[in-house]
Amino acid sequence: MPAAAQDDEVSACLITKTDINPFFVKMKEGATAKAEELGIDLSTFAGRVDGDHETQQQAMESCIASGVDGILITASDTKAIVPLVRQARDQGILVIALDTPLQPADAADATFATDNFEAGRLIGAWAKAKLGDEAENAKIAFLDLNESQPSVGVLRDQGFMEGFGIDTADENQWGDEDDDRIVGHEATQGNEEGGRRAMENLLQVNPNINVVYTINEPAAAGAYEALNAFGMADQVMITSIDGGCPGVENVEQGIIGATAQQYPLQMASLGIEAIAQFAEDGSVPEPSEGLDFFNTGVNLVTDDPAEGVPSISVEEGLERCWG
């Protein structure tokens, strides 16, 4: 039963990794707007920096003590937060993971997130379609997140391969493929400097790279800087994932060919709606068909659409971007 079923006022908490990252700023915006619309008392918390588990733990304890109906959380430490999640659920509080699944994922009542595999598949299918017959001769650089291979990085990377028509081997990891179109994988840490360094390293391996997969748009911006320095910017197709406003603007400028856009505002807004429904009748959100989480949507953004690959325009992408 909902924690406050006997109380007319529905209350909720949103706990994000930080309150400065544009992704989480947009998430807070979505939760706040929906809470105001539905008359829900919303408290918001955030870590001081990405990875600040202690502050998130304190926020969870506060939310549990106040007896809220539901908690939305993007956990910095997806394993260490689980005992508090269980404590909340034992007290009748609905706990929904946003964007980042807990470990194990079923520690939460539900997960609302982007289908990261589909995000990668869309940009891979677009790149293949744009190259046409030349896709068979592509030389692809993979600019990944980091060597620990977190699930978001693996899913996006392996999705790209499926979309491009590359055998992923073990789809739970990257780097074990034997397709000679892959020049190599380099970690970027998801930032511009890392993208630049990774691109430079892979150009040393093969200067004929003509397709670049990037884990996110800051890494793509760094890759472009490196390619531009080598006088190769016009010869290489860059693809990416995120859909932040700077990234979509880079698509508009031709720096990125296409990006897959995710929707943090939608994640949080739907999460608040789920808490309202739970408070009303005790129902728990069901995962999307064929998935173990609730898919909050992803769209390919490009002004150079490819036949057979659904996409939205840069104009629409700018209307829906964040940051």
Side-chain angles (χ1 to χ4, degrees):
M1 283 293 293
Q6 73 281 4
D7 193 335
D8 289 336
E9 185 175 44
V10 178
S11 57
C13 285
L14 171 69
I15 306 170
T16 56
K17 292 180 182 178
T18 74
D19 59 6
I20 54 174
N21 183 316
F23 187 88
F24 300 120
V25 171
K26 184 59 71 171
M27 189 176 278
K28 182 177 177 180
E29 181 184 316
T32 301
K34 183 58 68 172
E36 288 176 357
E37 177 190 328
L38 298 179
I40 291 173
D41 180 18
L42 176 66
S43 300
T44 62
F45 304 84
R48 293 183 298 268
V49 295
D50 200 328
D52 179 11
H53 167 68
E54 184 178 338
T55 300
Q56 289 197 321
Q57 179 176 298
Q58 293 165 357
M60 281 288 293
E61 290 168 348
S62 176
C63 295
I64 292 168
S66 64
V68 295
D69 293 277
I71 298 171
L72 307 175
I73 182 167
T74 58
S76 284
D77 190 324
T78 52
K79 292 180 180 176
I81 203 69
V82 165
L84 277 171
V85 170
R86 290 195 179 118
Q87 184 180 330
R89 293 179 67 187
D90 286 346
Q91 292 191 25
I93 298 171
L94 181 74
V95 181
I96 297 176
L98 298 183
D99 180 56
T100 306
L102 301 183
Q103 292 179 275
D106 63 4
D109 288 293
T111 301
F112 284 20
T114 304
D115 186 340
N116 282 295
F117 190 88
E118 175 64 8
R121 191 199 67 77
L122 282 168
I123 58 171
W126 179 85
K128 180 181 181 182
K130 289 281 96 181
L131 287 174
D133 292 342
E134 282 305 303
E136 292 300 315
N137 304 313
K139 295 299 177 188
I140 309 170
F142 282 84
L143 273 56
D144 289 295
L145 187 53
N146 60 47
E147 295 293 349
S148 67
Q149 300 200 21
S151 60
V152 62
V154 173
L155 288 164
R156 292 180 180 187
D157 178 303
Q158 302 293 274
F160 179 95
M161 289 190 194
E162 177 164 299
F164 201 87
I166 293 170
D167 183 353
T168 62
D170 180 356
E171 69 172 25
N172 295 309
Q173 62 176 314
W174 50 257
D176 61 340
E177 315 86 19
D178 60 5
D179 194 305
D180 61 11
R181 292 175 291 181
I182 299 175
V183 172
H185 296 261
E186 284 282 332
T188 66
Q189 310 309 320
N191 60 50
E192 194 166 327
E193 181 185 347
R196 183 169 57 247
R197 184 176 59 250
M199 192 73 249
E200 289 170 351
N201 290 346
L202 289 170
L203 285 170
Q204 295 295 324
V205 176
N206 190 323
N208 298 315
I209 289 168
N210 63 349
V211 178
V212 181
Y213 154 87
T214 59
I215 178 65
N216 64 12
E217 291 149 1
Y224 178 82
E225 289 172 14
L227 290 165
N228 199 40
F230 281 87
M232 297 176 61
D234 293 338
Q235 305 162 36
V236 180
M237 175 189 297
I238 300 177
T239 63
S240 198
I241 296 170
D242 256 357
C245 295
V248 178
E249 288 164 4
N250 278 347
V251 176
E252 185 176 41
Q253 295 167 22
I255 291 170
I256 299 172
T259 193
Q261 186 172 60
Q262 53 181 342
Y263 300 106
L265 186 149
Q266 179 88 334
M267 288 178 200
S269 178
L270 289 170
I272 292 293
E273 287 182 353
I275 290 172
Q277 191 66 43
F278 174 75
E280 182 179 331
D281 60 18
S283 61
V284 175
E286 294 290 332
S288 300
E289 187 175 351
L291 300 172
D292 58 4
F293 61 94
F294 188 97
N295 180 13
T296 55
V298 61
N299 283 304
L300 184 75
V301 179
T302 184
D303 275 342
D304 184 18
E307 187 176 350
V309 186
S311 63
I312 63 174
S313 67
V314 167
E315 182 180 5
E316 184 175 347
L318 287 170
E319 290 173 358
R320 302 183 67 178
C321 69
W322 39 271

